[in-house]
Amino acid sequence: MRWALVKVSLAVTTMVVLAFAVPLGLVIREMARDRAFSNAERQAAAVAPALSITTDRDQLERVVASAGSGSGMAVHIPASGKTAAVDLGRRRAADGDIATVRRLGRASTTEVPGGSTLLQPVALSTGEIAVVEVYVPDSEVTNGLATAWAVLAGVGIALIVGSVAVADRLGVRMVRPAQRLVEGAHELGEGKLGARVPEEGPTELRLAAVAFNAMADQVVQLLANERELAADLSHRLRTPLTVLRLNAASLGDGSAAEQTRAAVAQLEGEVDTIIRTAREAKPQTVAAGPGAGCDAAEVVRERMAFWSALAEDEGRKVRVAGVDRPVRIPVARADLAAALDALLGNVFRHTPEGTAFAVDVHNGEDAVIVLVSDAGPGIADPEAAMARGHGSGSAGSTGLGLDIVRRLAESTGGDVRIGSSVLGGTEVRLWIQLDGRAPVRRGHRGAVRRRRPGRLVSTFNRSRSLP
């Protein structure tokens, strides 16, 4: 906007300067020409009184010399009776031009090599017409013209520079508030809720800044209210959880009782985490700085140890691959555990007992892939299942679990895809980026394909079926 205003000012000022400078330059040239020929007329007029009195050559030579014209003046006196024609000075004009001026009796100018001549007729006492010729060189016609044009050009350039400087200052006054408004909008869009815009500049931009700041304050207030509501709703779960914990404590010994008590303890911990996160407004995914994140292989082994007991009770065959060595990812441990629990919980919730499933971890140069596959009936509409709150369409499916997994992957720049597994059921692929690229911004429907590392492609083909 600033440069656009400067360009417009430059174009308009240039046109105005040209509109005035070009005609003025032509006028100055004509004035210089008129000045030169006026001087020539005065020189010719100085000789006319002497011609009206005498035609003596010697006397006329003295008059011509006293006129101060040097070799630039000539006098042509025609023959009369016994008096021969007299020519004083250097003739430059053609005989025809001199005869025409003598016949017409009025002054005339004619072009000659190196300049022009003024032919002035003068009546003699004998009744004849003499012609005074005054030479006007081109240098005299253009004398002072270059200086005048240079001054005119300098004034024009000064006007253009001045107008551009004024337009630039005006542009800065208008553009800076607009830039601050754009920067504030970007910061607010990136989650910096403290972003505000100075209320300055032109009236329209000042009003826009006031509206933006009011909107930002409203967003902060709405988020604070939402966090408090989430904390209050989560706190309501404490009472039924307390009853469930007391009942689990009375179950006695046994693997099922221990699993139940562990699940209740984990659920209480998750509720506490939700309440603290909502009250403190901390992000769920922490992956900043060297060494941040977790070991995906360790988390998978831990969660599979929990789910394997339940799988054994239901007669499900389980396989885990790719967890024999550390796999570092830029994701918080609790977030990865929650995502795995959501995926494995879907397997137990939406497939019949006895359905086999597998978890594979593939480590590449710039990404880690976690595959959760099963031998169940599959998902009829994978894209709809990824929509938050929609789910697979079956009873008890809300779609929030897959949305948690999707947000976890996109926080690293990765994605989530649902497809068919080699076991015959559903395969959920969790792609986690390692190179720190910006998160992929898109909707809930599907994911954008990206480059696959060669190690991952070859790993896919090695172990994706149960032994």
Side-chain angles (χ1 to χ4, degrees), residues 23-35 141-142 145 148-149:
L24 188 58
L26 297 177
V27 170
I28 291 175
R29 187 181 66 178
E30 291 300 321
M31 290 177 62
R33 180 180 176 85
D34 292 342
R35 182 185 65 245
V141 173
T142 59
L145 189 60
W149 281 358

Side-chain angles (χ1 to χ4, degrees), residues 179-232:
Q179 289 178 339
R180 294 192 186 101
L181 185 61
V182 172
E183 292 172 357
H186 280 302
E187 291 179 358
L188 187 63
E190 293 173 355
K192 300 177 182 178
L193 301 182
R196 296 296 183 273
V197 178
E199 299 173 0
E200 57 186 19
T203 303
E204 294 78 5
L205 292 176
R206 188 166 59 250
L207 293 177
V210 171
F212 175 84
N213 293 336
M215 178 193 68
D217 294 337
Q218 186 68 14
V219 169
V220 172
Q221 184 62 38
L222 291 175
L223 290 177
N225 294 339
E226 184 178 348
R227 289 194 300 269
E228 290 298 325
L229 178 60
D232 293 343

Side-chain angles (χ1 to χ4, degrees), residues 66 115 169 227 251 264 277 306 352 400 402 430 443:
S66 65
R169 292 299 91 196
R227 289 194 300 269
L251 292 178
V264 171
T277 302
F306 173 81
L400 298 182
L402 287 176
L430 172 60

Side-chain angles (χ1 to χ4, degrees), residues 9 31 45 112 121 140 184 354 430 433 449 461-462 465:
S9 175
M31 290 177 62
V112 296
E140 186 174 350
L430 172 60
Q433 281 294 128
R449 290 189 178 272
N461 301 323
R462 284 203 292 267
S465 61

Side-chain angles (χ1 to χ4, degrees), residues 286-369:
V286 180
C294 68
D295 181 1
E298 180 184 356
V299 176
V300 171
R301 289 195 302 268
E302 176 188 332
R303 300 317 303 156
M304 287 303 296
F306 173 81
W307 289 100
S308 295
L310 183 57
E312 184 178 354
D313 293 341
E314 294 187 357
R316 296 176 182 268
K317 185 178 291 187
V318 180
R319 182 182 60 79
V320 182
V323 295
D324 52 342
R325 57 182 178 178
V327 180
R328 297 295 304 181
I329 60 174
V331 174
R333 180 187 186 91
D335 294 335
L336 180 60
L340 287 173
D341 288 342
L343 294 176
L344 296 174
N346 285 341
V347 173
F348 282 85
R349 189 177 300 112
H350 302 297
T351 61
E353 292 187 10
T355 301
F357 66 94
V359 178
D360 299 284
V361 179
H362 303 278
N363 188 14
E365 295 178 357
D366 59 359
V368 170
I369 291 180

